[in-house]
Amino acid sequence: MMKDTKKNAALLLASLLIAGQASPAVSAEPRFSKKTITLEVGETADLELLDRGKYTHYSVSNGYVFSYDKDSRTVTAKSPGTAYIYAESDGEKAQCRIIVNGEQEEKAAAEDTDDRHYDKNVRVLYGKSKIISAPAGKDVVVKLDNSSIAHISCGVIKNDSFDIIIRSKLPGKGFITVCERQSGKVLYTVKLTVYRTQDLAEEEKGSDLDADTYADEVIIMVNEERNSRGLPSLEKSGSLCKSAAVRADEVSRKFSHVRPDGTACYTAITEYYSHSGENIARRVSTAEDVMEAWMDSPRHKDNILDEGYTKIGVAYDPDNRVWVQIFTD
């Protein structure tokens, strides 16, 4: 009994010693000195990360809106908009919202009315680019009234028209005008919207504008993939886009390269060709996702990067989330 008692006492003492050990020190999570900062364009503000660990990484959601100098711990407002700064320190994360106000944002909001005339309505996905065609005069200048949303540049004049290259910067709205340099007379006006994918998802599903916008995004991404490999861009064909729209309707009913009437998919093409290809996809909601899926598939990727193709047509059926690409030489 004594032996058992001593043994039990020893076990009890051990358990008390273990239970009585000090808990390991828990370091405080990193946090910024402010949760939200509101600035005007050109203003600066101090922002410090508190309780940071040994290894810290900083990032910003949109470098067009503001910049952050981690040495001076200073935020500098650059363009109107809202963005975030993130810090990750020893596996823990912190964030601060930066709101930048400015005259450009107010001007765009004031001018964005249904009463203002425009010749073309163009949408560009945030972070992407788009090329549009505009009529050219003898000596014209192109202006964007809200430079915070995009950067614009001009291509070579061909057959009384020229390309306007739009590179998006921030979600928002504005107007592009083509004017005579000497008189200032406005020849052509484009209503420009830079949007996020979730913005489109909130709008009425299935509109022609949404479908055309998505299709144009795919064509831009196709040419970006080709250009990055030294291949020429494909020309958008209106005829092929119509054929792709026919196929999108068919594919929504029968997911196959064989048409519902039993003929091959290429019989939907109405223009002359000697070499063609088709990519189809379904249950995908964004241009980025469908392009990623196609580029991850060797056979679909081969169509996109085929050196023999010169034209492309794309269609999207938002009601059924069906995509079709048609390629010809």
Side-chain angles (χ1 to χ4, degrees):
M1 290 293 294
M2 182 63 70
K3 186 175 181 180
D4 290 341
T5 301
K6 288 183 178 180
K7 181 178 179 181
N8 290 338
L11 290 173
L12 178 59
L13 178 60
S15 66
L16 289 173
L17 288 172
I18 293 171
Q21 286 179 347
S23 300
V26 179
S27 60
E29 293 183 357
R31 67 189 190 284
F32 282 108
S33 55
K34 301 171 185 175
K35 292 183 178 180
T36 301
I37 297 176
T38 301
L39 300 169
E40 300 294 322
V41 174
E43 290 184 341
T44 62
D46 295 331
L47 182 64
E48 185 176 359
L49 181 65
L50 307 175
D51 298 318
R52 61 180 179 178
K54 185 176 181 181
Y55 301 102
T56 303
H57 173 71
Y58 295 90
S59 61
V60 298
S61 63
N62 192 331
Y64 288 108
V65 176
F66 72 93
S67 62
Y68 181 68
D69 188 326
K70 63 181 180 180
D71 295 325
S72 63
R73 302 169 186 174
T74 303
V75 174
T76 301
K78 297 166 63 177
S79 297
T82 299
Y84 290 82
I85 179 171
Y86 303 99
E88 184 171 353
S89 185
D90 294 344
E92 301 292 340
K93 297 181 179 179
Q95 73 175 36
C96 175
R97 183 173 65 165
I98 310 297
I99 302 171
V100 179
N101 299 318
E103 294 181 359
Q104 291 177 321
E105 188 175 49
E106 295 170 0
K107 179 180 179 182
E111 293 185 347
D112 184 26
T113 65
D114 292 336
D115 295 334
R116 180 164 179 180
H117 168 77
Y118 55 86
D119 302 287
K120 189 177 182 68
N121 190 8
V122 174
R123 290 185 158 201
V124 183
L125 181 64
Y126 169 51
K128 298 297 180 179
S129 301
K130 177 172 284 191
I131 299 175
I132 63 173
S133 180
K138 293 182 179 179
D139 187 14
V140 297
V141 60
V142 180
K143 301 177 182 179
L144 173 61
D145 67 355
N146 186 2
S147 59
S148 68
I149 65 171
H151 170 77
I152 59 172
S153 56
C154 302
V156 179
I157 296 177
K158 295 180 180 179
N159 299 324
D160 297 326
S161 68
F162 69 103
D163 289 337
I164 299 176
I165 300 94
I166 305 169
R167 296 179 175 86
S168 65
K169 292 162 57 176
L170 286 173
K173 297 180 180 181
F175 287 89
I176 300 172
T177 52
V178 180
C179 309
E180 290 182 352
R181 188 182 299 274
Q182 295 296 329
S183 66
K185 179 182 177 181
V186 176
L187 304 176
Y188 194 72
T189 302
V190 177
K191 182 180 179 181
L192 173 63
T193 302
V194 178
Y195 68 95
R196 300 165 298 178
T197 302
Q198 55 264 41
D199 295 333
L200 265 187
E202 294 169 358
E203 296 180 0
E204 183 179 355
K205 192 177 180 183
S207 73
D208 292 338
L209 176 60
D210 291 3
D212 291 343
T213 300
Y214 275 127
D216 285 344
E217 289 165 13
V218 167
I219 294 174
I220 289 174
M221 293 179 195
V222 165
N223 286 331
E224 287 176 347
E225 293 288 354
R226 291 175 64 89
N227 295 162
S228 68
R229 293 165 173 82
L231 299 173
S233 296
L234 299 179
E235 177 187 351
K236 177 183 176 181
S237 164
S239 173
L240 291 183
C241 286
K242 291 179 181 179
S243 298
V246 171
R247 288 290 296 132
D249 177 66
E250 295 175 346
V251 171
S252 68
R253 291 180 277 124
K254 179 184 178 182
F255 190 71
S256 171
H257 291 296
V258 177
R259 304 182 70 183
D261 63 4
T263 60
C265 60
Y266 58 78
T267 60
I269 302 173
T270 58
E271 65 180 46
Y272 174 79
Y273 69 94
S274 59
H275 179 43
S276 70
E278 177 183 81
N279 285 343
I280 61 176
R282 62 179 173 178
R283 299 172 185 165
V284 185
S285 299
T286 69
E288 297 94 328
D289 289 343
V290 75
M291 276 298 296
E292 182 178 356
W294 280 332
M295 291 303 291
D296 285 341
S297 168
R299 293 182 65 182
H300 294 89
K301 182 178 179 180
D302 286 345
N303 271 340
I304 292 171
L305 301 180
D306 192 312
E307 296 183 18
Y309 294 139
T310 61
K311 297 181 181 179
I312 185 174
V314 177
Y316 172 54
D317 175 359
D319 291 321
N320 298 292
R321 296 190 297 162
V322 168
W323 302 79
V324 176
Q325 287 179 321
I326 296 178
F327 307 87
T328 64
D329 55 3

